[in-house]
């Protein structure tokens, strides 16, 4: 196996595991009657991803401004792997006694698909910003408590604010059996919004005056 193939296999496997982790977060959120508790517990998925070095598209896309153009290929593989993992977990759950969470997911998906494209894009943009803050905060903050807050607070904020996370929606659309041409199109808009939101902070801070 060539080095490139090994590298892409590693990227894909870490991305697939990420999809499962996001699926775990989505499952506990849908299972909670209290949305505040659910939004906190959803952060478990991101905590697992960052702690184990998995690959989340919305956590990696912000670093596109620091990498070569070929990094886009990595991001595409990560996005695909996230989709595979999230969808696989959703389909597995539909075969269990908790498949009823699909009904709650359907209600959420109806709201998303009833929205207009500009609204979806803007909501995804702000989610992308928050996910970069979470990923970069976990990476750069040395204080353990600060790392925990960097992971969980952005997740709680994006969920309670109604911001759009493309990977979470891969899980929701699948467990709700809500896939269609429209939902796929909306997922692409969410992905673009997440991507632009993710690179916004690292792009702007290039203009900061850094202390020597």
């Amino acid at each position: 196996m060539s080095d490139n193939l090994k590298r892409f296999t590693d990227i894909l496997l870490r991305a697939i595991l990420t999809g499962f982790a996001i699926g775990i977060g989505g499952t506990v959120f849908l299972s909670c009657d209290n949305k505040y508790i659910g939004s906190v517990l959803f952060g478990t998925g991101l905590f697992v991803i960052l702690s184990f070095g998995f690959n989340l598209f919305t956590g990696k896309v912000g670093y596109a401004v620091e990498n070569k153009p070929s990094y886009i290929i990595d991001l595409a593989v990560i996005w695909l792997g996230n989709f595979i993992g999230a969808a696989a977990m959703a389909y597995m759950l539909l075969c269990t006694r908790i498949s009823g969470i699909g009904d709650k997911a359907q209600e959420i998906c109806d709201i998303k698909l009833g929205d207009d494209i500009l609204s979806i894009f803007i909501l995804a943009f702000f989610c992308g910003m928050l996910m970069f803050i979470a990923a970069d905060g976990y990476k750069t903050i040395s204080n353990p408590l600060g790392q925990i807050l960097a992971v969980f607070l952005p997740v709680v904020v994006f969920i309670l604010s109604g911001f759009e996370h493309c990977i979470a929606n891969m899980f929701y659309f699948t467990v709700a059996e809500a896939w269609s041409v429209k939902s796929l199109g909306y997922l692409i808009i969410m992905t673009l919004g997440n991507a632009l939101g993710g690179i916004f902070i690292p792009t702007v801070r290039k203009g900061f005056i850094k202390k020597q």
Side-chain angles (χ1 to χ4, degrees), residues 29-153:
F29 176 73
L30 294 173
S31 300
C32 287
D33 293 328
N34 186 305
K35 66 178 181 180
Y36 300 101
I37 295 176
S39 64
V40 173
L41 293 177
F42 187 101
T44 301
L46 183 59
F47 180 75
V48 169
I49 291 163
L50 296 176
S51 297
F52 285 83
F54 296 162
N55 291 330
L56 175 65
F57 174 80
T58 52
K60 296 290 187 181
V61 70
Y63 299 104
V65 299
E66 303 173 0
N67 284 276
K68 298 178 180 179
S70 60
Y71 185 66
I72 295 176
I73 299 176
D74 292 2
L75 291 174
V77 174
I78 291 171
W79 188 92
L80 177 61
N82 289 171
F83 202 157
I84 292 171
M89 180 167 180
Y91 281 124
M92 290 169 69
L93 290 176
L94 289 174
C95 299
T96 71
R97 67 174 184 272
I98 67 168
S99 61
I101 62 172
D103 295 332
K104 187 173 181 180
Q106 181 65 61
E107 295 175 6
I108 295 174
C109 293
D110 287 343
I111 294 173
K112 297 176 185 295
L113 296 175
D115 202 357
D116 63 73
I117 291 177
L118 179 60
S119 173
I120 288 293
F121 176 80
I122 293 173
L123 294 174
F125 179 90
F126 288 120
C127 182
M129 287 182 61
L130 286 168
M131 288 302 95
F132 175 77
I133 291 169
D136 202 54
Y138 185 86
K139 177 182 177 181
T140 59
I141 296 173
S142 57
N143 182 282
L145 177 59
Q147 287 183 311
I148 295 296
L149 292 175
V151 172
F152 283 88
L153 287 181

Side-chain angles (χ1 to χ4, degrees), residues 16 19 62 69 76 100 132 143 155 166 169 171 189:
I16 291 174
F132 175 77
N143 182 282
V155 171
C166 65
N169 287 327
F171 174 77
I189 298 299

